[in-house]
Amino acid sequence: MKISQRLLHDILSGALDSGQHISAQQVADRYGVSRTPVREALVNLEQQDVLVRQENRGYFVADKLPQTIKDQLAATDDAETSDYQRLAHDWLTNEIAEEVTEQALRQRYGWTKAKVGELLVRAAREGWAERKEGYGWRFLPVAKTPEAFDEIYRFRLAIEPAAMLEPSFELDRKVLDEQRRIQEGMLEIDMDVAHGQSLLENGSLFHEEIIKLSGNPFFLMALQRVNRMRRLMEYRAEINRERLVEQCTEHLEILSLLERGNIVDASYRMRQHLSGALKRKSPLTWSWAADATGSER
């Protein structure tokens, strides 16, 4: 996905707010890329009236996005998401081998060299593929089964509330304010143009920023790893307005408790939040597994 598209998704999902300052270095750090393609993306988005450039101050998110931009982005996303989900589905259902070449994928799907490259780079960025030394690609372990998905959530239930009770846990008002801004922004987005990937990333970011406050890097490392492993299964869940409101409301409740210094209560609310998410999502994963088994017969 192009840098300009990723920026648009972050704006539409509430991760980047209207009027917010956008620097090339900030975006490069955010996406793990060099500043050269970022600068090109910023110029491109300025030309499309998504960003406003102020002399000697840099770029800022426009107060209102052109409707044509939203329509174009939705059309582009539909095409890209379809191909990406097809690749992900085939990996989840063991239809493709663990190690593959770009040529093999081109022959299997009829995609261009550029398309295969884009999809593999995206898969690598999202943690379920890596380039092999020398030649070819390797798909990495993910939560492919409902049992694994349940185990990940039970693991999160064990570590996330506990991390908030660490002796080294320390509140950071800046982090809490930023997460509140993102969560409240998500409640105001237009679901017709919202991108599932960005919404999921915002949700993961909330949990990773909170666990980071524990001061124990091993909690964060563990959560980041399991978040990558569950990502593909999460993509299969349709994100609707009701689910989004419930998730963001619970995140905001946790933030409110932390802002008041009620860390023990916030830890308990985090456990309730994760337990509720498991109860909602587990039946979906078992349903997908049953459908996949039925289609193989």
Side-chain angles (χ1 to χ4, degrees):
M1 188 183 295
K2 296 178 180 178
I3 302 299
S4 56
Q5 282 181 261
R6 297 181 69 183
L7 275 169
L8 273 171
H9 286 310
D10 280 348
I11 293 170
L12 292 170
S13 70
L16 296 174
D17 208 359
S18 60
Q20 185 171 340
H21 179 252
I22 305 292
S23 71
Q25 188 60 58
Q26 170 196 359
V27 176
D29 293 342
R30 185 184 186 91
Y31 301 142
V33 297
S34 69
R35 285 188 292 178
T36 300
V38 171
R39 284 193 288 264
E40 294 174 357
L42 295 177
V43 171
N44 177 265
L45 292 177
E46 181 197 8
Q47 293 172 345
Q48 299 181 68
D49 297 324
V50 174
L51 298 179
V52 177
R53 187 173 184 275
Q54 298 182 15
E55 191 172 355
N56 299 323
R57 296 190 64 200
Y59 293 93
F60 295 81
V61 178
D63 291 334
K64 187 176 182 180
L65 297 186
Q67 185 59 47
T68 54
I69 292 296
K70 297 180 182 180
D71 295 340
Q72 291 171 9
L73 184 64
T76 302
D77 285 345
D78 286 344
E80 288 191 1
T81 300
S82 176
D83 291 335
Y84 183 74
Q85 290 182 340
R86 183 180 177 191
L87 180 65
H89 176 270
D90 286 353
W91 171 233
L92 285 171
T93 55
N94 300 313
E95 294 293 322
I96 50 180
E98 178 182 342
E99 296 186 357
V100 297
T101 64
E102 292 187 22
Q103 180 62 30
L105 294 177
R106 289 175 61 190
Q107 292 175 345
R108 176 182 176 87
Y109 297 106
W111 293 332
T112 64
K113 182 177 181 180
K115 169 65 73 176
V116 170
E118 288 175 7
L119 295 177
L120 287 172
V121 167
R122 177 176 172 183
R125 186 175 68 244
E126 296 189 4
W128 59 279
E130 66 180 8
R131 192 185 296 274
K132 293 173 57 181
E133 289 187 16
Y135 186 68
W137 288 77
R138 177 183 296 109
F139 293 119
L140 303 176
V142 294
K144 289 186 172 188
T145 65
E147 291 91 347
F149 189 82
D150 287 359
E151 286 166 356
I152 282 177
Y153 263 89
R154 288 199 295 273
F155 177 70
R156 292 181 63 195
L157 272 163
I159 68 167
E160 291 193 52
M164 299 170 73
L165 301 178
E166 281 284 284
S168 54
F169 187 89
E170 186 174 347
L171 294 176
D172 185 325
R173 297 292 172 177
K174 220 173 151 185
V175 170
L176 299 183
D177 289 346
E178 177 65 6
Q179 288 308 306
R180 174 169 290 281
R181 184 190 65 75
I182 292 174
Q183 296 301 311
E184 289 178 345
M186 288 173 66
L187 290 174
E188 298 174 359
I189 64 172
D190 182 353
M191 287 298 293
D192 292 333
V193 295
H195 193 256
Q197 176 189 350
S198 294
L199 298 180
L200 288 173
E201 286 178 352
N202 285 352
S204 295
L205 178 64
F206 169 82
H207 287 271
E208 290 170 9
E209 287 295 294
I210 296 301
I211 208 170
K212 192 187 297 183
L213 298 178
S214 70
N216 185 331
F218 296 103
F219 278 119
L220 176 62
M221 290 164 59
L223 180 59
Q224 288 174 330
R225 179 167 177 77
V226 296
N227 275 344
R228 288 195 296 271
M229 293 183 70
R230 71 183 172 89
R231 192 184 302 271
L232 291 184
M233 292 288 271
E234 294 279 16
Y235 279 156
R236 301 183 68 177
E238 179 183 354
I239 299 177
N240 55 44
R241 184 71 189 174
E242 183 179 350
R243 177 184 164 197
L244 182 67
V245 169
E246 185 173 18
Q247 171 187 300
C248 292
T249 299
E250 292 178 2
H251 285 173
L252 289 168
E253 289 172 0
I254 294 169
L255 287 172
S256 293
L257 289 168
L258 290 174
E259 288 163 350
R260 295 197 295 268
N262 297 337
I263 298 175
V264 173
D265 290 342
S267 171
Y268 180 70
R269 189 68 186 93
M270 179 68 81
R271 175 174 292 279
Q272 290 179 314
H273 169 64
L274 292 170
S275 178
L278 174 58
K279 289 177 182 177
R280 289 193 304 272
K281 297 176 181 180
S282 182
L284 291 175
T285 62
W286 285 94
S287 175
W288 296 330
D291 291 343
T293 303
S295 64
E296 291 171 0
R297 290 174 181 169

